């Protein structure tokens, strides 16, 4: 049966890679290597009682451990709930309260959390179990200990909360077949070619554009992915364009403000980058400002950026991610 996990398993047999840009040095591994680690982590989750149909929340910055844990949840046949990170140090109390509320609303079996954030989620009586990502990654289980469950196209794959920008966050249930159909539509509409395309992203994995469009898609299709963290981009916006140049990125995305920051970085840079391979620079997630788009096109011109690569798109969590976008340039 065709499910996202069976696609992940197939992609793991290919040569596609994922490069994590966190830290001083990039870490590159094949999807197959990440899959082997995810199977070992899934075995650890199974040993802790996680089963098909359970809801498992993950909380942490974009790292190899986090992405491995996400795949491990899916390998268990469980539903993934990615929790947002705190955006400001001054909002930690609000972050703790909202996180606990989302965990409760999502009816989570357990929470997988990064060590740095664990102190903010102390457990109380009746709370779901909490496990550290480091402990799971270092557990004694191996990939051979993993017991593969039956996967079904109607299983709930992701439970994602909306941003809450216009009302209280709501949980959006994305079954396996809906996510698969949306990924198929993206691949067809964007004319994705696994032999040519390289995806580059810094988008948060708790948002549908980052999670579905720039994590689940390359993971399940075996596409090369260069993945940074939001804080790495915000700390130095020029990194985004540098990653595209260094790795020959062909597809990327971001909200309007990120292109404003990238424009400033390009204008200040004295180095010449190679943005000539970029064919999809999707602008979404908030109103698109035409003047900002034109400024980005002008700033990228001397770096080989082709104007036809840039376009707005419509998407929403309820459909997976992609709603509509024009035919991209080749």
């Amino acid at each position: 049966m065709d499910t996202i996990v069976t696609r992940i398993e197939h992609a793991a047999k290919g040569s596609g890679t994922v490069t994590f840009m966190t830290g001083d040095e990039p870490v590159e591994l094949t999807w197959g290597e990440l899959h082997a680690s995810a199977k070992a982590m899934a075995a650890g989750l199974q040993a802790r009682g996680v089963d098909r149909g359970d809801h498992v929340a993950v909380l942490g910055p974009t790292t190899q451990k986090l992405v491995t844990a996400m795949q491990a949840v899916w390998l268990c046949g469980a539903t993934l709930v990615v929790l947002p990170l705190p955006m400001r140090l001054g909002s930690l109390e609000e972050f703790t309260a909202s996180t606990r509320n989302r965990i409760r609303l999502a009816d989570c079996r357990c929470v997988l959390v990064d060590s740095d954030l664990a102190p903010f989620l102390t457990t109380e009586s009746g709370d779901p179990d909490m496990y550290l990502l480091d402990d799971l990654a270092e557990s004694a289980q191996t990939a051979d200990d993993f017991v593969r469950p039956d996967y079904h196209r109607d299983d709930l794959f992701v439970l994602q909360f909306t941003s809450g920008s216009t009302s209280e966050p709501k949980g959006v249930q994305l079954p396996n077949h809906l996510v698969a159909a949306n990924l198929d539509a993206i691949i067809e509409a964007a004319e994705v070619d696994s032999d040519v395309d390289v995806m580059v992203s810094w988008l948060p994995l708790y948002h549908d554009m980052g999670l579905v469009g720039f994590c689940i898609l390359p993971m399940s299709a075996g596409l090369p992915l260069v993945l940074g963290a939001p804080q790495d981009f915000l700390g130095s916006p020029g990194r985004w364009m540098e990653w595209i140049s260094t790795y020959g990125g062909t597809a990327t995305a971001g909200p309007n403000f990120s292109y404003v920051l990238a424009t400033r970085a390009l204008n200040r840079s004295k180095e010449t980058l190679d943005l000539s391979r970029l064919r999809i620079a999707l602008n979404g997630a908030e109103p698109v400002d035409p003047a900002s788009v034109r400024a980005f096109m002008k700033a990228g011109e001397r770096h080989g950026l082709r104007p036809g690569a840039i376009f707005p798109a419509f998407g929403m969590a309820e459909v997976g991610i992609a709603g509509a976008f024009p035919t991209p340039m080749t």
Side-chain angles (χ1 to χ4, degrees):
M1 179 179 292
D2 178 38
T3 65
I4 303 297
V5 172
T6 57
R7 296 183 186 193
I8 288 172
E9 292 171 331
H10 178 74
K13 299 174 183 177
S15 59
T17 61
V18 53
T19 303
F20 294 95
M21 302 305 296
T22 50
D24 295 331
E25 296 291 335
V27 176
E28 180 181 303
L29 61 159
T30 66
W31 285 117
E33 290 171 327
L34 186 138
H35 182 59
S37 297
K39 287 176 69 176
M41 192 177 287
L45 291 175
Q46 289 177 330
R48 291 165 173 81
V50 174
D51 203 354
R52 176 173 167 253
D54 287 337
H55 296 182
V56 178
V58 298
L59 174 65
T62 301
T63 61
Q64 179 181 338
K65 283 184 295 187
L66 184 78
V67 175
T68 302
M70 288 163 51
Q71 187 178 129
V73 171
W74 291 319
L75 290 177
C76 289
T79 300
L80 179 71
V81 183
V82 185
L83 298 170
L85 296 172
M87 298 305 294
R88 302 179 305 277
L89 289 178
S91 64
L92 288 180
E93 289 187 5
E94 179 184 345
F95 158 73
T96 300
S98 64
T99 299
R100 292 183 63 86
N101 187 50
R102 290 174 196 243
I103 293 170
R104 179 184 61 81
L105 291 175
D107 191 23
C108 292
R109 167 70 175 76
C110 62
V111 182
L112 315 182
V113 59
D114 185 271
S115 301
D116 290 338
L117 294 172
F120 301 104
L121 291 179
T122 53
T123 57
E124 300 175 359
S125 177
D127 284 346
D129 295 327
M130 185 171 70
Y131 304 117
L132 299 181
L133 290 175
D134 284 334
D135 291 346
L136 282 170
E138 297 169 2
S139 63
Q141 277 77 21
T142 69
D144 292 335
D145 296 318
F146 171 65
V147 180
R148 188 182 188 277
D150 291 329
Y151 304 113
H152 296 269
R153 64 187 306 273
D154 294 327
D155 285 347
L156 187 59
F157 195 68
V158 171
L159 196 162
Q160 173 173 305
F161 285 91
T162 57
S163 64
S165 56
T166 58
S167 62
E168 287 298 314
K170 298 178 177 62
V172 177
Q173 300 183 69
L174 301 178
N176 202 296
H177 64 83
L178 184 148
V179 177
N182 200 237
L183 295 180
D184 289 341
I186 293 172
I187 290 171
E188 179 180 354
E191 301 173 359
V192 173
D193 185 340
S194 59
D195 293 327
V196 175
D197 284 312
V198 177
M199 304 183 73
V200 179
S201 177
W202 55 267
L203 297 168
L205 296 178
Y206 53 82
H207 187 275
D208 48 5
M209 188 184 294
L211 176 63
V212 179
F214 282 84
C215 183
I216 300 177
L217 191 155
M219 180 187 292
S220 61
L223 292 167
L225 171 66
V226 178
L227 184 61
Q231 63 267 26
D232 293 324
F233 163 69
L234 293 173
S236 180
R239 287 173 175 158
W240 183 19
M241 297 296 114
E242 290 169 5
W243 298 339
I244 292 171
S245 175
T246 300
Y247 292 92
T250 64
T252 195
N256 197 78
F257 82 85
S258 64
Y259 287 99
V260 173
L261 295 178
T263 298
R264 293 174 185 169
L266 287 173
N267 285 334
R268 292 170 181 167
S269 175
K270 295 180 177 159
E271 298 181 10
T272 300
L273 304 177
D274 182 5
L275 305 181
S276 63
R277 295 194 70 229
L278 189 62
R279 69 181 188 88
I280 295 176
L282 190 152
N283 188 325
E286 64 178 86
V288 176
D289 175 37
S292 298
V293 174
R294 286 191 290 269
F296 176 67
M297 291 166 56
K298 182 174 178 57
E301 186 176 8
R302 71 180 178 93
H303 301 281
L305 178 66
R306 296 172 290 174
I310 306 160
F311 56 83
F314 166 76
M316 57 192 297
E318 288 79 358
V319 300
I321 173 58
F325 56 83
T327 302
M329 67 184 298
T330 55

